[in-house]
Amino acid sequence: MLGRTRLGILLLLAEEHTTSGLARRLGVSNATASAHTAALRGAGLITTVRAGRAVLHRRTALGGLLVRHGS
């Protein structure tokens, strides 16, 4: 069970987003978005890379499968 925010993140991450970009799009704080992305990364559903000061997230193939089969 993903919950609304984590599912929203997975849906948005069909394209790369920063933590703050995700927070803005979902109407949550940066800290909340960061906590959710950490959980999704731990489950292997997203990847995260640092680009300077930005942290960029993208859905993994497993995350994509989950989104496709959960819809």
Side-chain angles (χ1 to χ4, degrees):
M1 297 177 72
L2 282 174
R4 180 179 299 199
T5 302
R6 290 183 186 171
L7 177 59
I9 289 171
L10 281 178
L11 290 170
L12 286 171
L13 289 181
E15 297 180 6
E16 195 170 67
H17 285 279
T18 63
T19 303
S20 59
L22 290 170
R24 259 191 318 278
R25 297 281 304 268
L26 295 168
V28 299
S29 70
N30 285 351
T32 296
S34 181
H36 284 297
T37 55
L40 291 168
R41 185 173 49 256
L45 301 176
I46 69 169
T47 60
T48 301
V49 296
R50 183 166 289 280
R53 292 187 57 188
V55 177
L56 303 171
H57 308 283
R58 183 173 286 260
R59 197 167 64 195
T60 63
L62 179 60
L65 282 172
L66 184 65
V67 168
R68 281 191 296 283
H69 291 293
S71 301

